[in-house]
Structure formats: C-alpha cells, structure tokens
Amino acid sequence: SAALPATIARVADRGVVDGQYSPLLRDVARASPLFVRDCEQVLGALLATAARSQHRFAPMDAVQRQVLIELAAHYGCHAAVVGHESDQCCVVVSKRPTSRAPRVLLSAVVWPRVPASDKALSAILFYDLPGGVYLTKQLLSSLRNYANEFKLAWINDNHAMAIFSDRKRCAAALAELQQEETSAAAASDGRRPFKVRMYDDRVPGLYADGTGGVGV
C-alpha cells in the first residue's frame, strides 16, 4: 500500500477538536460542497452499520484524498491510502471502537443551507507544482487580472487552489491560464512549472467500494 505523506499522517494520527475544522477543510468544502456532503454521508453510514468495519472509497485525486483523510479523523476513524498509480489510489477508512460522528458537520459549518449547484464556489486547481509555497508569488501573478476575486489556498507542496465566488469569472480565469500554458509550450522557454484544471466537485462512484457495497 502507498505510504501516507507526512503532512497527512500527522493530521490523521493526532486528536482533533469536535467541530473545529482546519482552514484547508473549510476552503475545500466551500469550493466542493457536494463532494464533502457525499463523504459525510458515506462516513455516517459506515458508523451506523455494525456489520461493517471499513469502507474503500472510489479512486480520487490527491487533493480529495487528503481532504477525506483529514475529515475521517473528525469521525475518529483511521484512514490509509492504498494503490500504486497516483490517479488510481483509494482511501480506505476503518472504524475504531471510539469512532463517532462529529456533533457539528463540516458541511453545516460552511454551508448552513444546501447550496444550489450554481451557488457553490468554483476553484482552479494548480498541480504538479515543483517547489511548494515559494511559488505563491508566481501563482498570484498568473491571476493578476483577477486580483481580489479569489482566495489562494495551499493544499500541500504540490497542489494549490484558487477559490472564486463567481463561477463565470473562475471559468474565464481558467481559460486564460490554459491559453497561456499553450503559448508557453510553443515558446522557446518551454512550459511553466505548473499545470491547471477546474477542480471537480464530485467523484464518480464515490459510494461504491471495492467489495460490492458490503464493506470489508
């Protein structure tokens, strides 16, 4: 199985305070409320089913895996990453005798009311970043035409999110970044040191586990 990155392992192993969610969890939940609510439903169902000891989530990207592992800690569960290919890694969440749902759900903190799909925030994901937060100035510069319209949130050393409140402006910013990426690839100085895409709010098949839905 794949080892947990040190930053994730520290979160997963330490105690958490009920209802006190990290800025990372709050930021991602604002940009992807449907993903967070789906995870909460799966975790809640796992705790409510005595015959099940763990749940294997469908493959998801590195950012979503990190969020899920930190969220599982708020349920008192153990979470581990399994798999070898980065895009096929899964998170397996296991119950402990002391596992219980938090009194205040993350979704209730960030979205007191279920957001309509067109009201949720949108985010651009910067990935394959080579050197961590020292690139902050460069990322901000790449979105200089959208200053004060987004919040930059670092997920880990290789991923960051630009979270917009306006979905159309987010889409416009992404289009500009992708155009610049194409231009940079054609130029003699080569590609810039990061990639971009829209951050996905849902994971296809999130509820399906590797055991046909009965748990292991």
Side-chain angles (χ1 to χ4, degrees):
S1 63
L4 270 68
T7 54
I8 299 178
R10 287 197 295 271
V11 169
D13 291 340
R14 71 169 185 246
V16 294
V17 178
D18 196 358
Q20 294 188 13
Y21 298 101
S22 71
L24 165 64
L25 282 179
R26 290 171 181 260
D27 286 341
V28 175
R30 291 187 182 96
S32 53
L34 301 179
F35 168 70
V36 168
R37 284 179 184 266
D38 284 352
C39 289
E40 290 175 339
Q41 290 181 29
V42 174
L43 292 170
L46 174 63
L47 297 187
T49 307
R52 301 188 61 186
S53 61
Q54 62 181 213
H55 181 90
R56 184 188 182 103
F57 284 80
M60 58 185 71
D61 66 34
V63 174
Q64 291 166 327
R65 291 196 299 269
Q66 182 164 341
V67 169
L68 176 55
I69 288 169
E70 185 170 341
L71 183 62
H74 283 270
Y75 287 73
C77 294
H78 172 74
V81 177
V82 297
H84 300 287
E85 297 296 331
S86 60
D87 60 345
Q88 290 299 314
C89 286
C90 302
V91 175
V92 176
V93 175
S94 303
K95 289 192 293 190
R96 294 183 170 117
T98 57
S99 295
R100 62 180 178 83
R103 288 174 294 182
V104 181
L105 297 180
L106 173 61
S107 58
V109 172
V110 176
W111 292 104
R113 301 180 182 85
V114 179
S117 58
D118 61 344
K119 297 298 183 183
L121 305 187
S122 293
I124 295 171
L125 178 66
F126 296 91
Y127 61 103
D128 285 356
L129 297 167
V133 296
Y134 84 89
L135 285 173
T136 295
K137 186 175 181 179
Q138 184 172 351
L139 296 184
L140 293 175
S141 177
S142 71
L143 291 170
R144 57 189 174 278
N145 293 336
Y146 301 86
N148 303 318
E149 295 185 49
F150 68 93
K151 176 180 180 181
L152 185 66
W154 278 92
I155 309 301
N156 53 41
D157 287 346
N158 305 112
H159 299 80
M161 294 171 64
I163 302 171
F164 287 74
S165 58
D166 188 305
R167 297 172 71 86
K168 291 183 179 180
R169 294 292 286 169
C170 183
L174 177 63
E176 285 189 17
L177 289 170
Q178 291 174 330
Q179 178 61 40
E180 290 174 5
E181 184 176 37
T182 300
S183 300
S188 59
D189 58 353
R191 298 174 67 86
R192 63 187 176 194
F194 58 80
K195 299 177 182 179
V196 296
R197 65 172 173 81
M198 191 67 78
Y199 181 73
D200 299 324
D201 190 9
R202 302 300 288 268
V203 176
L206 177 67
Y207 288 91
D209 63 26
T211 63
V214 296
V216 293

